[in-house]
Amino acid sequence: MDHAAVLALYDRDMREGARPDGPGARIERAGAVVRQTGDTHGWSAVLWSGLDEATADRVIGEQIAHFTGLGLDFEWKLYGHDRPADLGARLTAAGFRAEPEETLLVGEAGRLALDPGTPDGIRVVQATDAAGVELVVKVHESAFGTDGTRLRHQLLARLAADPGTVVAVVALAGDEPVCSARMELVPGARFAGLWGGGTVEAGRGRGVYRALVAHRARVAAARGYRYLQVDASPMSRPILERLGFHALSTTTPYLYGS
């Protein structure tokens, strides 16, 4: 893989060329930034920026004014290759707080070393209705210890308005959900995004997470997506690299608001 070329393609397709992640969101290009403004339960963020030392502080202030004027908390999704080099420090000085850094991993869907099947006693089902979404949210809340209200809203809205743009899956041990994940599919893009892969403590160490990666990779390849993209935590990065993903950059959420 030509890392620099694929990273540039990712920036063009998924950041500068971003599309709304749900029916209640809108994408805007405001000068040197591309941002998403979500509804009350949605996600608002700066997705891409083209800044330098002379413009960064002014543009940061403009984005704070935009989102706070709407009464919205928001995220500045900062990548390790963004400029200026001290953009993170400038965001912190402006009142943002940094979340843990993750690694931007990209793999070619047709070239990954995928497991041939699911572990014994596990079956993978796709969430297509409210009951399935509740299983996804249940795992998410247990695995990550976070509230799943926004995820529930996002999945229900997308499944109702445009089901072809999201694939949500759950791994069941009997009737008990032990792992869940989703994949976001942007029409016309070359990247499918893998998100939210989490396993409850009792289900870890059995290859269930890998099975859900493989399931989504096969779906993405069948639908014509060349690349898979993941914002990987330190826990998932080694698993994904063994499957054939490449580290292209880092990404850090900088949060503003409550």
Side-chain angles (χ1 to χ4, degrees), residues 10-250:
Y10 174 82
D11 282 342
R12 289 197 303 272
D13 269 17
M14 307 306 291
R15 301 181 67 202
E16 286 190 82
R19 300 200 184 183
D21 71 356
R26 67 180 186 273
I27 297 290
E28 304 166 307
R29 177 138 192 175
V33 304
V34 174
R35 67 193 181 204
Q36 172 169 295
T37 303
D39 60 18
T40 304
H41 297 291
W43 180 61
S44 295
V46 172
L47 305 173
W48 173 88
S49 63
L51 308 178
D52 57 30
E53 290 82 355
T55 61
D57 292 333
R58 172 180 57 80
V59 174
I60 290 169
E62 290 171 352
Q63 302 317 304
I64 292 172
H66 168 75
F67 287 109
T68 58
L70 296 171
L72 297 173
D73 299 340
F74 75 107
E75 173 184 328
W76 192 299
K77 193 167 175 60
L78 179 68
Y79 287 78
H81 58 287
D82 287 346
R83 294 291 177 266
D86 65 347
L87 184 52
R90 291 172 186 260
L91 291 169
T92 300
F96 290 78
R97 63 188 186 279
E99 293 284 282
E101 180 183 275
E102 296 180 314
T103 303
L104 173 64
L105 297 179
V106 172
E108 292 196 60
R111 295 189 174 185
L112 298 177
L114 301 177
D115 293 337
T118 56
D120 290 342
I122 298 293
R123 58 191 175 96
V124 176
V125 299
Q126 190 165 324
T128 58
D129 56 18
V133 168
E134 285 306 314
L135 293 176
V136 173
V137 172
K138 179 180 179 179
V139 172
H140 180 87
E141 291 182 332
S142 177
F144 298 110
T146 57
D147 180 74
T149 300
R150 176 177 288 177
L151 175 62
R152 179 184 294 107
H153 170 82
Q154 178 188 21
L155 287 177
L156 289 174
R158 291 185 73 165
L159 287 171
D162 200 355
T165 64
V166 63
V167 174
V169 289
V170 184
L172 299 171
D175 294 324
E176 188 64 26
V178 294
C179 186
S180 71
R182 70 186 190 277
M183 177 169 63
E184 297 183 2
L185 302 167
V186 178
R190 284 156 284 197
F191 295 82
L194 304 188
W195 300 95
T199 309
V200 302
E201 187 172 357
R204 293 171 186 165
R206 301 173 58 188
V208 183
Y209 175 84
R210 292 193 301 275
L212 292 194
V213 173
H215 178 92
R216 289 174 290 166
R218 286 190 284 268
V219 172
R223 297 191 186 183
Y225 290 83
R226 181 173 179 182
Y227 297 106
L228 299 173
Q229 169 262 319
V230 187
D231 291 351
S233 69
M235 180 180 295
S236 60
R237 176 178 175 176
I239 299 171
L240 293 165
E241 288 184 323
R242 286 195 294 271
L243 295 178
F245 283 79
H246 299 255
L248 300 189
S249 188
T250 60

